[in-house]
Amino acid sequence: MTKTASSTGAPTDRPDATVQPWPRRLRRFGYTARPRQGVRERLVPPYNEPDPRLWKGLGIGEATARRLVALSAWGGPLLVALFAGVLRFWNLGSPKAVIFDETYYAKDAWALIHRGYEVSWPKNADASILADPSSVQIPTDASYVVHPPVGKYVIGIGEWLFGLEPFGWRFMTALLGTLSVLMLCRIGRRLFRSTFLGCLAGLLLAVDGLHFVMSRTALLDLVLMFFVLAAFGCLLIDRDKARARLAAALPIGTDGVARPDSGVAGTLRLGWRPWRLAAGLCLGLAFATKWNGLYILAAFGLLTVAWDVGARRVAGARRPYTAVLRRDILPAFVSTVPVALATYVASWAAWIASPSDGTGGYYRDWALNAGQGGSFTWLPDWLRSFWHYENKVYDFHVGLNSGHTYESNPWSWLVAGRPVSYFYESPAPGKDGCPADTVDKCAREVLALGTPALWWAACFALAYCLWRWGLRRDWRAGALLCGVAAGYLPWFAYQERTIFVFYAVVFVPFLCLALAMLLGAIIGPPGSSERRRTAGAATAGVIVLLILWNFIYFWPLYTGEPIPVDQWQQRMWLDTWV
């Protein structure tokens, strides 16, 4: 501080005018500091509204604009979901074939809803089902399976409604794929406080090739993705409601503005949190679909605790970690882990209820036969048999290293290095949809390939999120990175195992959210100059249009439409795709 003369000649204390902070120096280049938010706005940020200049340019009045904004909160996501649903349900029964691992899950689902456990099918069962499903008898001998039952029950609902045929066993994955687009729109809206960015994320998911193909195939991974995304959405709602309770409890100053308070922030109990219980249920259903849901349960459990720490810190807690340890950690654990485990065990209810005399589920009679003796005979027979079964399944998963034509290392997933061919035929000209004037034969393929332009752009989006989280402490970026890491990083511990790129569908929604976040940054924050917003919107629009074009270009490979083989070869951009 230096002494300078005021206009009256009296000395006054003020910063030396020659030593300017960096924001003041940057004003000459057009920099405008963001207005400081109050604690209530930081705890519960308001939703962004479209720039008034947009309504003015469209000639829409203020009252009509308000109604449109209110309607868009659900209207926009519903329109995007309708678009996704039309794509996914269009000609869903084609190819009329049992493609890739549908040979396991379609039949297992049918057996589960009729017998309560999976059975051993004869080798010619697929051909018999396609020829005349009504004549197929369900075997009675139990079969050894290595995945929990929830995903197969979900597939079985479609078969129960529409029969044991391709449309029936793909119906529920198409429905969940469509609903996941709707959920992502709403999740993105809440995460970014922007209906536009939420709908943009949903649109990106709607035109991702991997999500699209998985939505039209009776495999378990799309079901897993749905429950994981639902759990994330539940935790996001819980976060907002918990922070709103904190904000409402803070004292109000004489100026009417809420003030941070260490007493309130450090001791307030956040009460009943049903959305976190719902998240525990969804995570249990995910775990009961495929075991890698366990990693996501652990990651999301840490995430919700970290959100509580951040909320109490913003509210004024001097020791937010201690406050969370005392007030939140036990309820967070009870709401997620025991609920998820109970859901998992409950999903095996039909297996548990099956006879233990050798006519029930696989290994159901283990405790009464091979499992006699030992230190745990005081436990119920069903529990010991169940534990033995789970151990055998674990041994199978960690020891699975048999080679497969389409296996891929997780290092190659983000760059779409090795997609999986679910179905391939080479119809001759004039047959099975192949144009009669085709010079050579046609190619008909269903390829589990993420839309390349989207995935490659998402790599930059992940780098952007790392920067936002690491250097700007943006919790939204951290949440998206958590979702990607939970579904992706565990596979690096099993690089000797036979794994496939379609496992990545579980974190595709988080890639789409990350890309929407990057595109939002390109467009520019609210209040930016018109020139800045116009240039940003044009750039983001070009990226989105390229992704849409890329999806359309690969449409024949996603739907199994026959195309001349030379056109198929043109779409094999990388040698590893063949």
mmCIF file of all heavy atoms in Angstrom, residues 395-427:
data_model
loop_
_atom_site.group_PDB
_atom_site.id
_atom_site.type_symbol
_atom_site.label_atom_id
_atom_site.label_comp_id
_atom_site.label_asym_id
_atom_site.label_seq_id
_atom_site.Cartn_x
_atom_site.Cartn_y
_atom_site.Cartn_z
ATOM 1 N N ASP A 395 -14.269 -67.602 -10.733
ATOM 2 C CA ASP A 395 -13.133 -68.314 -11.334
ATOM 3 C C ASP A 395 -13.229 -68.308 -12.856
ATOM 4 O O ASP A 395 -12.219 -68.171 -13.553
ATOM 5 C CB ASP A 395 -13.092 -69.755 -10.817
ATOM 6 C CG ASP A 395 -12.739 -69.835 -9.342
ATOM 7 O OD1 ASP A 395 -12.172 -68.860 -8.820
ATOM 8 O OD2 ASP A 395 -13.047 -70.869 -8.716
ATOM 9 N N PHE A 396 -14.436 -68.458 -13.369
ATOM 10 C CA PHE A 396 -14.613 -68.444 -14.825
ATOM 11 C C PHE A 396 -14.230 -67.090 -15.411
ATOM 12 O O PHE A 396 -13.498 -67.017 -16.409
ATOM 13 C CB PHE A 396 -16.067 -68.769 -15.170
ATOM 14 C CG PHE A 396 -16.392 -68.560 -16.632
ATOM 15 C CD1 PHE A 396 -16.145 -69.543 -17.560
ATOM 16 C CD2 PHE A 396 -16.935 -67.345 -17.076
ATOM 17 C CE1 PHE A 396 -16.434 -69.346 -18.910
ATOM 18 C CE2 PHE A 396 -17.221 -67.140 -18.413
ATOM 19 C CZ PHE A 396 -16.967 -68.143 -19.336
ATOM 20 N N HIS A 397 -14.719 -66.020 -14.799
ATOM 21 C CA HIS A 397 -14.494 -64.691 -15.367
ATOM 22 C C HIS A 397 -13.009 -64.318 -15.368
ATOM 23 O O HIS A 397 -12.504 -63.778 -16.357
ATOM 24 C CB HIS A 397 -15.290 -63.650 -14.589
ATOM 25 C CG HIS A 397 -16.742 -63.615 -14.936
ATOM 26 N ND1 HIS A 397 -17.194 -63.478 -16.226
ATOM 27 C CD2 HIS A 397 -17.868 -63.699 -14.158
ATOM 28 C CE1 HIS A 397 -18.513 -63.480 -16.246
ATOM 29 N NE2 HIS A 397 -18.952 -63.618 -15.001
ATOM 30 N N VAL A 398 -12.316 -64.574 -14.276
ATOM 31 C CA VAL A 398 -10.905 -64.172 -14.225
ATOM 32 C C VAL A 398 -10.028 -65.091 -15.063
ATOM 33 O O VAL A 398 -8.913 -64.722 -15.435
ATOM 34 C CB VAL A 398 -10.396 -64.129 -12.769
ATOM 35 C CG1 VAL A 398 -11.171 -63.102 -11.963
ATOM 36 C CG2 VAL A 398 -10.469 -65.494 -12.110
ATOM 37 N N GLY A 399 -10.524 -66.296 -15.374
ATOM 38 C CA GLY A 399 -9.716 -67.222 -16.147
ATOM 39 C C GLY A 399 -10.075 -67.287 -17.612
ATOM 40 O O GLY A 399 -9.505 -68.095 -18.355
ATOM 41 N N LEU A 400 -11.013 -66.431 -18.062
ATOM 42 C CA LEU A 400 -11.445 -66.474 -19.456
ATOM 43 C C LEU A 400 -10.392 -65.817 -20.345
ATOM 44 O O LEU A 400 -10.279 -64.593 -20.388
ATOM 45 C CB LEU A 400 -12.793 -65.750 -19.611
ATOM 46 C CG LEU A 400 -13.389 -65.731 -21.020
ATOM 47 C CD1 LEU A 400 -13.669 -67.137 -21.510
ATOM 48 C CD2 LEU A 400 -14.659 -64.893 -21.048
ATOM 49 N N ASN A 401 -9.623 -66.608 -21.057
ATOM 50 C CA ASN A 401 -8.567 -66.062 -21.922
ATOM 51 C C ASN A 401 -8.512 -66.753 -23.274
ATOM 52 O O ASN A 401 -7.510 -66.655 -23.983
ATOM 53 C CB ASN A 401 -7.204 -66.156 -21.227
ATOM 54 C CG ASN A 401 -6.872 -67.565 -20.775
ATOM 55 O OD1 ASN A 401 -7.517 -68.530 -21.189
ATOM 56 N ND2 ASN A 401 -5.861 -67.690 -19.916
ATOM 57 N N SER A 402 -9.577 -67.477 -23.635
ATOM 58 C CA SER A 402 -9.600 -68.099 -24.958
ATOM 59 C C SER A 402 -9.724 -67.024 -26.031
ATOM 60 O O SER A 402 -10.455 -66.039 -25.857
ATOM 61 C CB SER A 402 -10.779 -69.083 -25.052
ATOM 62 O OG SER A 402 -11.992 -68.430 -24.765
ATOM 63 N N GLY A 403 -9.018 -67.179 -27.114
ATOM 64 C CA GLY A 403 -8.997 -66.168 -28.156
ATOM 65 C C GLY A 403 -10.323 -66.048 -28.884
ATOM 66 O O GLY A 403 -11.109 -66.997 -28.949
ATOM 67 N N HIS A 404 -10.574 -64.852 -29.414
ATOM 68 C CA HIS A 404 -11.783 -64.606 -30.197
ATOM 69 C C HIS A 404 -11.425 -63.649 -31.329
ATOM 70 O O HIS A 404 -10.613 -62.732 -31.164
ATOM 71 C CB HIS A 404 -12.889 -64.011 -29.335
ATOM 72 C CG HIS A 404 -14.237 -64.014 -29.993
ATOM 73 N ND1 HIS A 404 -14.589 -63.094 -30.963
ATOM 74 C CD2 HIS A 404 -15.317 -64.827 -29.813
ATOM 75 C CE1 HIS A 404 -15.832 -63.346 -31.357
ATOM 76 N NE2 HIS A 404 -16.295 -64.382 -30.676
ATOM 77 N N THR A 405 -12.045 -63.847 -32.479
ATOM 78 C CA THR A 405 -11.724 -63.025 -33.654
ATOM 79 C C THR A 405 -11.897 -61.541 -33.385
ATOM 80 O O THR A 405 -11.114 -60.718 -33.872
ATOM 81 C CB THR A 405 -12.629 -63.442 -34.828
ATOM 82 O OG1 THR A 405 -12.472 -64.843 -35.065
ATOM 83 C CG2 THR A 405 -12.264 -62.665 -36.087
ATOM 84 N N TYR A 406 -12.897 -61.171 -32.598
ATOM 85 C CA TYR A 406 -13.220 -59.754 -32.421
ATOM 86 C C TYR A 406 -12.879 -59.223 -31.039
ATOM 87 O O TYR A 406 -13.369 -58.163 -30.653
ATOM 88 C CB TYR A 406 -14.703 -59.524 -32.726
ATOM 89 C CG TYR A 406 -15.018 -59.735 -34.188
ATOM 90 C CD1 TYR A 406 -15.666 -60.888 -34.620
ATOM 91 C CD2 TYR A 406 -14.636 -58.799 -35.141
ATOM 92 C CE1 TYR A 406 -15.940 -61.098 -35.962
ATOM 93 C CE2 TYR A 406 -14.897 -58.992 -36.488
ATOM 94 C CZ TYR A 406 -15.554 -60.146 -36.891
ATOM 95 O OH TYR A 406 -15.816 -60.341 -38.226
ATOM 96 N N GLU A 407 -12.056 -59.937 -30.285
ATOM 97 C CA GLU A 407 -11.642 -59.393 -28.994
ATOM 98 C C GLU A 407 -10.770 -58.155 -29.227
ATOM 99 O O GLU A 407 -10.151 -57.997 -30.288
ATOM 100 C CB GLU A 407 -10.880 -60.441 -28.196
ATOM 101 C CG GLU A 407 -9.553 -60.854 -28.792
ATOM 102 C CD GLU A 407 -8.849 -61.890 -27.935
ATOM 103 O OE1 GLU A 407 -8.847 -61.745 -26.704
ATOM 104 O OE2 GLU A 407 -8.304 -62.852 -28.504
ATOM 105 N N SER A 408 -10.724 -57.280 -28.219
ATOM 106 C CA SER A 408 -9.946 -56.041 -28.366
ATOM 107 C C SER A 408 -9.411 -55.619 -27.011
ATOM 108 O O SER A 408 -10.024 -55.875 -25.974
ATOM 109 C CB SER A 408 -10.804 -54.925 -28.959
ATOM 110 O OG SER A 408 -11.914 -54.645 -28.129
ATOM 111 N N ASN A 409 -8.265 -54.976 -27.040
ATOM 112 C CA ASN A 409 -7.680 -54.422 -25.825
ATOM 113 C C ASN A 409 -8.353 -53.099 -25.497
ATOM 114 O O ASN A 409 -8.649 -52.311 -26.398
ATOM 115 C CB ASN A 409 -6.179 -54.211 -26.027
ATOM 116 C CG ASN A 409 -5.458 -53.932 -24.730
ATOM 117 O OD1 ASN A 409 -5.560 -52.849 -24.176
ATOM 118 N ND2 ASN A 409 -4.724 -54.920 -24.234
ATOM 119 N N PRO A 410 -8.605 -52.816 -24.220
ATOM 120 C CA PRO A 410 -9.271 -51.540 -23.878
ATOM 121 C C PRO A 410 -8.524 -50.300 -24.332
ATOM 122 O O PRO A 410 -9.129 -49.232 -24.464
ATOM 123 C CB PRO A 410 -9.408 -51.594 -22.348
ATOM 124 C CG PRO A 410 -8.504 -52.697 -21.898
ATOM 125 C CD PRO A 410 -8.414 -53.657 -23.026
ATOM 126 N N TRP A 411 -7.230 -50.406 -24.593
ATOM 127 C CA TRP A 411 -6.490 -49.250 -25.096
ATOM 128 C C TRP A 411 -7.070 -48.757 -26.421
ATOM 129 O O TRP A 411 -6.962 -47.564 -26.745
ATOM 130 C CB TRP A 411 -5.011 -49.598 -25.285
ATOM 131 C CG TRP A 411 -4.248 -49.726 -24.012
ATOM 132 C CD1 TRP A 411 -3.797 -50.884 -23.442
ATOM 133 C CD2 TRP A 411 -3.838 -48.674 -23.137
ATOM 134 N NE1 TRP A 411 -3.143 -50.620 -22.260
ATOM 135 C CE2 TRP A 411 -3.148 -49.252 -22.055
ATOM 136 C CE3 TRP A 411 -3.987 -47.284 -23.155
ATOM 137 C CZ2 TRP A 411 -2.616 -48.509 -21.006
ATOM 138 C CZ3 TRP A 411 -3.459 -46.532 -22.113
ATOM 139 C CH2 TRP A 411 -2.777 -47.146 -21.064
ATOM 140 N N SER A 412 -7.674 -49.658 -27.185
ATOM 141 C CA SER A 412 -8.155 -49.285 -28.520
ATOM 142 C C SER A 412 -9.614 -48.836 -28.539
ATOM 143 O O SER A 412 -10.115 -48.424 -29.580
ATOM 144 C CB SER A 412 -8.003 -50.482 -29.474
ATOM 145 O OG SER A 412 -8.898 -51.528 -29.119
ATOM 146 N N TRP A 413 -10.302 -48.900 -27.401
ATOM 147 C CA TRP A 413 -11.739 -48.667 -27.415
ATOM 148 C C TRP A 413 -12.108 -47.240 -27.810
ATOM 149 O O TRP A 413 -12.981 -47.025 -28.645
ATOM 150 C CB TRP A 413 -12.347 -48.999 -26.060
ATOM 151 C CG TRP A 413 -12.371 -50.468 -25.755
ATOM 152 C CD1 TRP A 413 -11.914 -51.483 -26.559
ATOM 153 C CD2 TRP A 413 -12.859 -51.093 -24.567
ATOM 154 N NE1 TRP A 413 -12.084 -52.694 -25.943
ATOM 155 C CE2 TRP A 413 -12.663 -52.491 -24.725
ATOM 156 C CE3 TRP A 413 -13.432 -50.619 -23.393
ATOM 157 C CZ2 TRP A 413 -13.040 -53.406 -23.730
ATOM 158 C CZ3 TRP A 413 -13.800 -51.526 -22.409
ATOM 159 C CH2 TRP A 413 -13.607 -52.900 -22.584
ATOM 160 N N LEU A 414 -11.479 -46.259 -27.201
ATOM 161 C CA LEU A 414 -11.888 -44.866 -27.424
ATOM 162 C C LEU A 414 -11.661 -44.420 -28.863
ATOM 163 O O LEU A 414 -12.343 -43.495 -29.333
ATOM 164 C CB LEU A 414 -11.144 -43.930 -26.469
ATOM 165 C CG LEU A 414 -11.560 -44.001 -24.992
ATOM 166 C CD1 LEU A 414 -10.726 -43.043 -24.164
ATOM 167 C CD2 LEU A 414 -13.045 -43.692 -24.819
ATOM 168 N N VAL A 415 -10.735 -45.051 -29.553
ATOM 169 C CA VAL A 415 -10.485 -44.663 -30.942
ATOM 170 C C VAL A 415 -11.149 -45.629 -31.922
ATOM 171 O O VAL A 415 -10.839 -45.617 -33.116
ATOM 172 C CB VAL A 415 -8.966 -44.574 -31.232
ATOM 173 C CG1 VAL A 415 -8.346 -43.452 -30.424
ATOM 174 C CG2 VAL A 415 -8.267 -45.904 -30.935
ATOM 175 N N ALA A 416 -12.060 -46.468 -31.420
ATOM 176 C CA ALA A 416 -12.812 -47.408 -32.263
ATOM 177 C C ALA A 416 -11.867 -48.304 -33.062
ATOM 178 O O ALA A 416 -12.002 -48.463 -34.273
ATOM 179 C CB ALA A 416 -13.752 -46.649 -33.196
ATOM 180 N N GLY A 417 -10.907 -48.899 -32.360
ATOM 181 C CA GLY A 417 -9.880 -49.678 -33.047
ATOM 182 C C GLY A 417 -10.332 -51.033 -33.546
ATOM 183 O O GLY A 417 -9.850 -51.503 -34.580
ATOM 184 N N ARG A 418 -11.245 -51.687 -32.803
ATOM 185 C CA ARG A 418 -11.637 -53.047 -33.196
ATOM 186 C C ARG A 418 -13.110 -53.280 -32.864
ATOM 187 O O ARG A 418 -13.444 -53.760 -31.795
ATOM 188 C CB ARG A 418 -10.768 -54.072 -32.464
ATOM 189 C CG ARG A 418 -11.055 -55.547 -32.836
ATOM 190 C CD ARG A 418 -10.806 -55.812 -34.289
ATOM 191 N NE ARG A 418 -10.869 -57.242 -34.612
ATOM 192 C CZ ARG A 418 -10.975 -57.705 -35.842
ATOM 193 N NH1 ARG A 418 -11.032 -56.866 -36.874
ATOM 194 N NH2 ARG A 418 -11.013 -59.003 -36.073
ATOM 195 N N PRO A 419 -14.026 -52.941 -33.786
ATOM 196 C CA PRO A 419 -15.442 -53.204 -33.547
ATOM 197 C C PRO A 419 -15.754 -54.696 -33.637
ATOM 198 O O PRO A 419 -14.909 -55.498 -34.059
ATOM 199 C CB PRO A 419 -16.133 -52.422 -34.659
ATOM 200 C CG PRO A 419 -15.124 -52.374 -35.758
ATOM 201 C CD PRO A 419 -13.782 -52.312 -35.088
ATOM 202 N N VAL A 420 -16.971 -55.062 -33.264
ATOM 203 C CA VAL A 420 -17.393 -56.459 -33.249
ATOM 204 C C VAL A 420 -18.464 -56.661 -34.317
ATOM 205 O O VAL A 420 -19.459 -55.936 -34.357
ATOM 206 C CB VAL A 420 -17.950 -56.862 -31.870
ATOM 207 C CG1 VAL A 420 -18.375 -58.329 -31.886
ATOM 208 C CG2 VAL A 420 -16.911 -56.618 -30.783
ATOM 209 N N SER A 421 -18.252 -57.650 -35.172
ATOM 210 C CA SER A 421 -19.246 -57.993 -36.183
ATOM 211 C C SER A 421 -20.237 -58.986 -35.584
ATOM 212 O O SER A 421 -19.876 -60.118 -35.252
ATOM 213 C CB SER A 421 -18.574 -58.608 -37.413
ATOM 214 O OG SER A 421 -19.538 -58.937 -38.392
ATOM 215 N N TYR A 422 -21.485 -58.547 -35.425
ATOM 216 C CA TYR A 422 -22.519 -59.400 -34.855
ATOM 217 C C TYR A 422 -23.151 -60.328 -35.896
ATOM 218 O O TYR A 422 -23.655 -61.396 -35.554
ATOM 219 C CB TYR A 422 -23.626 -58.537 -34.244
ATOM 220 C CG TYR A 422 -23.285 -57.875 -32.940
ATOM 221 C CD1 TYR A 422 -24.165 -56.962 -32.354
ATOM 222 C CD2 TYR A 422 -22.101 -58.142 -32.272
ATOM 223 C CE1 TYR A 422 -23.876 -56.350 -31.155
ATOM 224 C CE2 TYR A 422 -21.795 -57.528 -31.078
ATOM 225 C CZ TYR A 422 -22.684 -56.626 -30.516
ATOM 226 O OH TYR A 422 -22.388 -56.022 -29.327
ATOM 227 N N PHE A 423 -23.122 -59.895 -37.151
ATOM 228 C CA PHE A 423 -23.839 -60.633 -38.190
ATOM 229 C C PHE A 423 -23.234 -60.270 -39.537
ATOM 230 O O PHE A 423 -22.921 -59.095 -39.780
ATOM 231 C CB PHE A 423 -25.329 -60.247 -38.146
ATOM 232 C CG PHE A 423 -26.144 -60.784 -39.279
ATOM 233 C CD1 PHE A 423 -26.638 -62.078 -39.253
ATOM 234 C CD2 PHE A 423 -26.435 -59.995 -40.395
ATOM 235 C CE1 PHE A 423 -27.407 -62.577 -40.306
ATOM 236 C CE2 PHE A 423 -27.194 -60.479 -41.442
ATOM 237 C CZ PHE A 423 -27.675 -61.769 -41.396
ATOM 238 N N TYR A 424 -23.064 -61.265 -40.406
ATOM 239 C CA TYR A 424 -22.533 -60.988 -41.752
ATOM 240 C C TYR A 424 -23.053 -62.032 -42.725
ATOM 241 O O TYR A 424 -23.019 -63.238 -42.457
ATOM 242 C CB TYR A 424 -21.004 -60.995 -41.764
ATOM 243 C CG TYR A 424 -20.438 -60.563 -43.105
ATOM 244 C CD1 TYR A 424 -20.217 -59.216 -43.374
ATOM 245 C CD2 TYR A 424 -20.161 -61.502 -44.097
ATOM 246 C CE1 TYR A 424 -19.719 -58.805 -44.611
ATOM 247 C CE2 TYR A 424 -19.678 -61.098 -45.333
ATOM 248 C CZ TYR A 424 -19.462 -59.746 -45.586
ATOM 249 O OH TYR A 424 -18.987 -59.345 -46.798
ATOM 250 N N GLU A 425 -23.538 -61.555 -43.864
ATOM 251 C CA GLU A 425 -23.952 -62.405 -44.973
ATOM 252 C C GLU A 425 -23.485 -61.777 -46.281
ATOM 253 O O GLU A 425 -23.256 -60.559 -46.342
ATOM 254 C CB GLU A 425 -25.474 -62.562 -45.015
ATOM 255 C CG GLU A 425 -26.056 -63.499 -43.975
ATOM 256 C CD GLU A 425 -27.556 -63.671 -44.145
ATOM 257 O OE1 GLU A 425 -28.162 -62.915 -44.940
ATOM 258 O OE2 GLU A 425 -28.128 -64.556 -43.482
ATOM 259 N N SER A 426 -23.369 -62.601 -47.320
ATOM 260 C CA SER A 426 -22.991 -62.111 -48.644
ATOM 261 C C SER A 426 -24.041 -62.529 -49.660
ATOM 262 O O SER A 426 -23.835 -63.469 -50.446
ATOM 263 C CB SER A 426 -21.616 -62.654 -49.040
ATOM 264 O OG SER A 426 -20.623 -62.253 -48.131
ATOM 265 N N PRO A 427 -25.201 -61.860 -49.675
ATOM 266 C CA PRO A 427 -26.260 -62.259 -50.617
ATOM 267 C C PRO A 427 -25.854 -61.977 -52.068
ATOM 268 O O PRO A 427 -25.178 -60.990 -52.368
ATOM 269 C CB PRO A 427 -27.458 -61.414 -50.190
ATOM 270 C CG PRO A 427 -26.868 -60.244 -49.472
ATOM 271 C CD PRO A 427 -25.614 -60.732 -48.815
#
